[in-house]
Amino acid sequence: MNNKRLKLPNGFGSITKKSGRRRKPFEIRKWIDGKQKVIGYEVTYESALAFLCEYNKNPLLFSPSEITFDELFCLVKAYLYPRIKERTQSSYNCAYKHLNRLYDKQFAKIRIGDLQSAIRDIHDSGAGYSTQKKARQVLHHMYTYAVKYEIIPPEKDISRYVDIDKDKKIYKKTIFNTRQIYKLFRASDNRYAKMILMHMMLGTRPSEFLAIEKTDVKLRQRYLIIRESKTEAGRNRIIPLHKQTLPFWIELLAENNKYVATDSNGVQLNYSRFRSRFDKTLVEFDISPNVSEIMESKFLIVY
């Protein structure tokens, strides 16, 4: 990604990174009553810029006709990132790297052919549907922001016309059958076999399961609360605990960890690490030939 910082317009304010080890190293200053005063400190440059944008409430100070694609993305990050999760921020940053041919172009002069060429670069690099889809989402956010703040008129939102490759399903998705579930129960001295069964009986998304904190599990009442979810409707929902997995919940909750899904050292599992252990566990117990697909499928729950 282009590391060039956005040139702030006169009167907008300034952001300076202070030396030394600081929790919030980015100092934010603003001219007030003829004097430059410190108005805040932030952890990252993007959050500091978001603070200044919120303080000024006027992105039009940036001269819409001259602002580049990369400069606009910096403004979009400042506006959007405080509102979304870190893993989503990371996926947007990765997708944005693929749009590097657009960085120095004046945003208002970009045409649909330019956007489509950037998507073609992603295709030619070997990246597939998911990367192209994420890049298109980044473009949607950028054009929505540009229309909202009158950097371009609504009819110039060309992101809606961007085409990407079709999603290709390489494998047919499978589900656990009764025999495979019983195999996992028989192997329940394995830490990750327990987690697979706990996850399976909840029926949640992997990301939701991995974000469960011990304080949100109510053993006595036999339910838990899902705080983190991809959708608004999925947040703060209550899910009962399956009685067959109760011993596993009791065992993992007894550990001195903040999260339920951790490795043997107490470190929280992210999706990638959980996926790796998931696949290895299924291979170890000869449960499924399609281990790379089964985690993405709906689990078959047997009572």
Short mmCIF file of all heavy atoms in Angstrom, two decimals, residues 58-92:
data_model
loop_
_atom_site.label_atom_id
_atom_site.label_comp_id
_atom_site.label_asym_id
_atom_site.label_seq_id
_atom_site.Cartn_x
_atom_site.Cartn_y
_atom_site.Cartn_z
N ASN A 58 -15.85 18.64 7.60
CA ASN A 58 -15.88 19.23 6.26
C ASN A 58 -14.78 18.67 5.37
O ASN A 58 -13.76 19.31 5.14
CB ASN A 58 -15.74 20.75 6.33
CG ASN A 58 -16.01 21.40 4.97
OD1 ASN A 58 -16.42 20.73 4.03
ND2 ASN A 58 -15.77 22.70 4.88
N PRO A 59 -14.97 17.47 4.79
CA PRO A 59 -13.97 16.89 3.88
C PRO A 59 -13.79 17.71 2.60
O PRO A 59 -12.82 17.52 1.88
CB PRO A 59 -14.56 15.51 3.55
CG PRO A 59 -15.47 15.22 4.69
CD PRO A 59 -16.05 16.54 5.08
N LEU A 60 -14.72 18.64 2.30
CA LEU A 60 -14.59 19.45 1.09
C LEU A 60 -13.40 20.40 1.15
O LEU A 60 -13.01 20.99 0.14
CB LEU A 60 -15.89 20.26 0.86
CG LEU A 60 -17.13 19.42 0.53
CD1 LEU A 60 -18.32 20.33 0.30
CD2 LEU A 60 -16.89 18.57 -0.69
N LEU A 61 -12.81 20.54 2.34
CA LEU A 61 -11.60 21.34 2.46
C LEU A 61 -10.47 20.76 1.62
O LEU A 61 -9.47 21.42 1.35
CB LEU A 61 -11.16 21.40 3.93
CG LEU A 61 -12.02 22.25 4.88
CD1 LEU A 61 -11.59 22.01 6.32
CD2 LEU A 61 -11.91 23.73 4.53
N PHE A 62 -10.63 19.49 1.19
CA PHE A 62 -9.55 18.81 0.48
C PHE A 62 -9.56 19.03 -1.03
O PHE A 62 -8.91 18.32 -1.75
CB PHE A 62 -9.62 17.31 0.77
CG PHE A 62 -9.14 16.93 2.12
CD1 PHE A 62 -10.00 16.90 3.19
CD2 PHE A 62 -7.81 16.64 2.34
CE1 PHE A 62 -9.56 16.55 4.46
CE2 PHE A 62 -7.35 16.30 3.60
CZ PHE A 62 -8.23 16.27 4.66
N SER A 63 -10.32 19.98 -1.54
CA SER A 63 -10.35 20.28 -2.97
C SER A 63 -10.75 19.05 -3.79
O SER A 63 -9.89 18.34 -4.33
CB SER A 63 -8.99 20.80 -3.45
OG SER A 63 -9.04 21.13 -4.83
N PRO A 64 -12.04 18.77 -3.90
CA PRO A 64 -12.53 17.54 -4.53
C PRO A 64 -11.99 17.28 -5.93
O PRO A 64 -11.75 16.13 -6.30
CB PRO A 64 -14.05 17.77 -4.57
CG PRO A 64 -14.31 18.71 -3.44
CD PRO A 64 -13.12 19.61 -3.37
N SER A 65 -11.78 18.33 -6.72
CA SER A 65 -11.36 18.11 -8.10
C SER A 65 -9.92 17.61 -8.21
O SER A 65 -9.54 17.04 -9.21
CB SER A 65 -11.51 19.41 -8.91
OG SER A 65 -10.66 20.41 -8.37
N GLU A 66 -9.12 17.80 -7.17
CA GLU A 66 -7.71 17.43 -7.22
C GLU A 66 -7.38 16.18 -6.42
O GLU A 66 -6.32 15.58 -6.61
CB GLU A 66 -6.85 18.59 -6.69
CG GLU A 66 -6.98 19.88 -7.49
CD GLU A 66 -6.52 19.72 -8.93
OE1 GLU A 66 -5.54 18.98 -9.16
OE2 GLU A 66 -7.15 20.31 -9.82
N ILE A 67 -8.25 15.75 -5.53
CA ILE A 67 -7.91 14.66 -4.63
C ILE A 67 -7.69 13.37 -5.41
O ILE A 67 -8.43 13.04 -6.35
CB ILE A 67 -9.03 14.49 -3.57
CG1 ILE A 67 -8.56 13.57 -2.44
CG2 ILE A 67 -10.30 13.94 -4.19
CD1 ILE A 67 -9.49 13.58 -1.24
N THR A 68 -6.65 12.64 -5.03
CA THR A 68 -6.32 11.40 -5.74
C THR A 68 -7.05 10.21 -5.11
O THR A 68 -7.60 10.30 -4.01
CB THR A 68 -4.81 11.12 -5.69
OG1 THR A 68 -4.42 10.86 -4.34
CG2 THR A 68 -4.02 12.29 -6.25
N PHE A 69 -7.00 9.09 -5.82
CA PHE A 69 -7.61 7.85 -5.33
C PHE A 69 -7.02 7.46 -3.98
O PHE A 69 -7.75 7.11 -3.05
CB PHE A 69 -7.36 6.75 -6.37
CG PHE A 69 -8.04 5.44 -6.07
CD1 PHE A 69 -9.34 5.19 -6.49
CD2 PHE A 69 -7.36 4.43 -5.38
CE1 PHE A 69 -9.96 3.97 -6.22
CE2 PHE A 69 -7.97 3.22 -5.11
CZ PHE A 69 -9.28 2.99 -5.53
N ASP A 70 -5.69 7.54 -3.87
CA ASP A 70 -5.02 7.15 -2.63
C ASP A 70 -5.37 8.10 -1.49
O ASP A 70 -5.56 7.68 -0.34
CB ASP A 70 -3.50 7.13 -2.84
CG ASP A 70 -2.77 6.45 -1.69
OD1 ASP A 70 -3.20 5.36 -1.28
OD2 ASP A 70 -1.79 7.02 -1.20
N GLU A 71 -5.46 9.39 -1.77
CA GLU A 71 -5.83 10.36 -0.74
C GLU A 71 -7.26 10.14 -0.26
O GLU A 71 -7.56 10.26 0.92
CB GLU A 71 -5.64 11.78 -1.27
CG GLU A 71 -4.19 12.18 -1.45
CD GLU A 71 -4.01 13.49 -2.19
OE1 GLU A 71 -4.96 13.90 -2.91
OE2 GLU A 71 -2.94 14.10 -2.07
N LEU A 72 -8.14 9.81 -1.20
CA LEU A 72 -9.52 9.55 -0.81
C LEU A 72 -9.62 8.31 0.07
O LEU A 72 -10.37 8.28 1.05
CB LEU A 72 -10.41 9.39 -2.04
CG LEU A 72 -11.90 9.17 -1.71
CD1 LEU A 72 -12.50 10.43 -1.11
CD2 LEU A 72 -12.68 8.74 -2.93
N PHE A 73 -8.84 7.29 -0.26
CA PHE A 73 -8.86 6.08 0.56
C PHE A 73 -8.42 6.38 1.98
O PHE A 73 -8.96 5.82 2.95
CB PHE A 73 -7.96 5.00 -0.05
CG PHE A 73 -7.98 3.70 0.71
CD1 PHE A 73 -9.12 2.91 0.75
CD2 PHE A 73 -6.86 3.27 1.42
CE1 PHE A 73 -9.15 1.71 1.46
CE2 PHE A 73 -6.88 2.08 2.14
CZ PHE A 73 -8.02 1.31 2.16
N CYS A 74 -7.46 7.29 2.14
CA CYS A 74 -7.01 7.68 3.46
C CYS A 74 -8.17 8.32 4.24
O CYS A 74 -8.37 8.05 5.42
CB CYS A 74 -5.85 8.67 3.34
SG CYS A 74 -5.02 9.01 4.90
N LEU A 75 -8.96 9.16 3.59
CA LEU A 75 -10.13 9.76 4.23
C LEU A 75 -11.20 8.72 4.55
O LEU A 75 -11.82 8.75 5.62
CB LEU A 75 -10.73 10.84 3.31
CG LEU A 75 -9.96 12.14 3.18
CD1 LEU A 75 -10.64 13.05 2.15
CD2 LEU A 75 -9.83 12.86 4.50
N VAL A 76 -11.40 7.78 3.64
CA VAL A 76 -12.40 6.73 3.86
C VAL A 76 -11.99 5.87 5.06
O VAL A 76 -12.83 5.51 5.88
CB VAL A 76 -12.56 5.86 2.59
CG1 VAL A 76 -13.42 4.63 2.88
CG2 VAL A 76 -13.20 6.68 1.48
N LYS A 77 -10.70 5.54 5.16
CA LYS A 77 -10.23 4.78 6.31
C LYS A 77 -10.50 5.52 7.61
O LYS A 77 -10.93 4.93 8.60
CB LYS A 77 -8.73 4.49 6.18
CG LYS A 77 -8.39 3.39 5.19
CD LYS A 77 -7.02 2.80 5.48
CE LYS A 77 -5.90 3.80 5.40
NZ LYS A 77 -4.59 3.18 5.69
N ALA A 78 -10.22 6.81 7.59
CA ALA A 78 -10.43 7.60 8.80
C ALA A 78 -11.90 7.61 9.21
O ALA A 78 -12.24 7.59 10.39
CB ALA A 78 -9.94 9.04 8.58
N TYR A 79 -12.77 7.61 8.21
CA TYR A 79 -14.22 7.63 8.49
C TYR A 79 -14.75 6.24 8.82
O TYR A 79 -15.53 6.07 9.76
CB TYR A 79 -14.95 8.18 7.25
CG TYR A 79 -16.45 8.00 7.29
CD1 TYR A 79 -17.25 8.86 8.03
CD2 TYR A 79 -17.07 6.97 6.59
CE1 TYR A 79 -18.63 8.70 8.08
CE2 TYR A 79 -18.44 6.80 6.62
CZ TYR A 79 -19.21 7.67 7.37
OH TYR A 79 -20.57 7.50 7.41
N LEU A 80 -14.31 5.23 8.06
CA LEU A 80 -14.92 3.90 8.13
C LEU A 80 -14.31 3.01 9.19
O LEU A 80 -15.04 2.29 9.90
CB LEU A 80 -14.82 3.23 6.76
CG LEU A 80 -15.38 1.81 6.62
CD1 LEU A 80 -16.90 1.81 6.82
CD2 LEU A 80 -15.02 1.23 5.25
N TYR A 81 -12.98 2.99 9.32
CA TYR A 81 -12.31 1.99 10.15
C TYR A 81 -12.72 2.03 11.63
O TYR A 81 -12.79 0.96 12.26
CB TYR A 81 -10.80 2.10 9.99
CG TYR A 81 -10.27 1.41 8.76
CD1 TYR A 81 -11.12 1.17 7.66
CD2 TYR A 81 -8.96 0.99 8.64
CE1 TYR A 81 -10.66 0.54 6.52
CE2 TYR A 81 -8.49 0.36 7.50
CZ TYR A 81 -9.34 0.14 6.45
OH TYR A 81 -8.88 -0.49 5.32
N PRO A 82 -12.95 3.19 12.22
CA PRO A 82 -13.41 3.16 13.62
C PRO A 82 -14.76 2.47 13.80
O PRO A 82 -15.13 2.12 14.91
CB PRO A 82 -13.51 4.65 14.00
CG PRO A 82 -12.58 5.35 13.06
CD PRO A 82 -12.70 4.58 11.78
N ARG A 83 -15.49 2.24 12.70
CA ARG A 83 -16.84 1.66 12.76
C ARG A 83 -16.87 0.17 12.44
O ARG A 83 -17.93 -0.46 12.51
CB ARG A 83 -17.77 2.40 11.79
CG ARG A 83 -17.99 3.86 12.14
CD ARG A 83 -18.65 4.61 10.98
NE ARG A 83 -19.09 5.94 11.36
CZ ARG A 83 -18.31 7.01 11.45
NH1 ARG A 83 -17.01 6.89 11.17
NH2 ARG A 83 -18.79 8.18 11.81
N ILE A 84 -15.73 -0.41 12.02
CA ILE A 84 -15.71 -1.81 11.63
C ILE A 84 -14.65 -2.56 12.42
O ILE A 84 -13.78 -1.97 13.06
CB ILE A 84 -15.45 -1.98 10.11
CG1 ILE A 84 -14.10 -1.38 9.71
CG2 ILE A 84 -16.58 -1.35 9.31
CD1 ILE A 84 -13.74 -1.55 8.25
N LYS A 85 -14.69 -3.89 12.35
CA LYS A 85 -13.79 -4.73 13.14
C LYS A 85 -12.41 -4.77 12.51
O LYS A 85 -12.24 -4.55 11.31
CB LYS A 85 -14.37 -6.14 13.24
CG LYS A 85 -15.70 -6.18 13.98
CD LYS A 85 -16.28 -7.58 13.97
CE LYS A 85 -17.63 -7.62 14.64
NZ LYS A 85 -18.26 -8.95 14.58
N GLU A 86 -11.42 -5.12 13.33
CA GLU A 86 -10.04 -5.14 12.87
C GLU A 86 -9.81 -6.14 11.73
O GLU A 86 -9.05 -5.86 10.80
CB GLU A 86 -9.09 -5.46 14.03
CG GLU A 86 -8.94 -4.30 15.01
CD GLU A 86 -7.88 -4.58 16.06
OE1 GLU A 86 -7.14 -5.58 15.89
OE2 GLU A 86 -7.79 -3.82 17.03
N ARG A 87 -10.46 -7.29 11.81
CA ARG A 87 -10.25 -8.28 10.75
C ARG A 87 -10.83 -7.80 9.41
O ARG A 87 -10.30 -8.13 8.35
CB ARG A 87 -10.84 -9.64 11.14
CG ARG A 87 -12.33 -9.67 11.40
CD ARG A 87 -12.78 -11.11 11.66
NE ARG A 87 -14.19 -11.19 12.02
CZ ARG A 87 -14.65 -11.15 13.25
NH1 ARG A 87 -13.81 -11.02 14.26
NH2 ARG A 87 -15.95 -11.25 13.49
N THR A 88 -11.90 -7.00 9.47
CA THR A 88 -12.45 -6.42 8.24
C THR A 88 -11.52 -5.35 7.71
O THR A 88 -11.29 -5.25 6.49
CB THR A 88 -13.84 -5.83 8.50
OG1 THR A 88 -14.68 -6.81 9.10
CG2 THR A 88 -14.48 -5.36 7.20
N GLN A 89 -10.95 -4.55 8.61
CA GLN A 89 -9.96 -3.55 8.20
C GLN A 89 -8.80 -4.21 7.48
O GLN A 89 -8.35 -3.74 6.43
CB GLN A 89 -9.44 -2.79 9.42
CG GLN A 89 -10.47 -1.97 10.17
CD GLN A 89 -9.89 -1.35 11.42
OE1 GLN A 89 -8.68 -1.17 11.55
NE2 GLN A 89 -10.75 -1.02 12.38
N SER A 90 -8.32 -5.31 8.05
CA SER A 90 -7.18 -6.02 7.46
C SER A 90 -7.52 -6.54 6.07
O SER A 90 -6.70 -6.45 5.15
CB SER A 90 -6.78 -7.18 8.38
OG SER A 90 -5.71 -7.91 7.82
N SER A 91 -8.72 -7.08 5.90
CA SER A 91 -9.10 -7.62 4.59
C SER A 91 -9.23 -6.49 3.57
O SER A 91 -8.88 -6.67 2.40
CB SER A 91 -10.41 -8.40 4.69
OG SER A 91 -11.50 -7.55 5.01
N TYR A 92 -9.72 -5.32 3.99
CA TYR A 92 -9.82 -4.18 3.08
C TYR A 92 -8.43 -3.68 2.68
O TYR A 92 -8.20 -3.32 1.53
CB TYR A 92 -10.62 -3.05 3.72
CG TYR A 92 -12.12 -3.27 3.74
CD1 TYR A 92 -12.96 -2.46 4.50
CD2 TYR A 92 -12.72 -4.29 3.01
CE1 TYR A 92 -14.35 -2.65 4.53
CE2 TYR A 92 -14.09 -4.50 3.02
CZ TYR A 92 -14.90 -3.67 3.79
OH TYR A 92 -16.25 -3.86 3.81
#
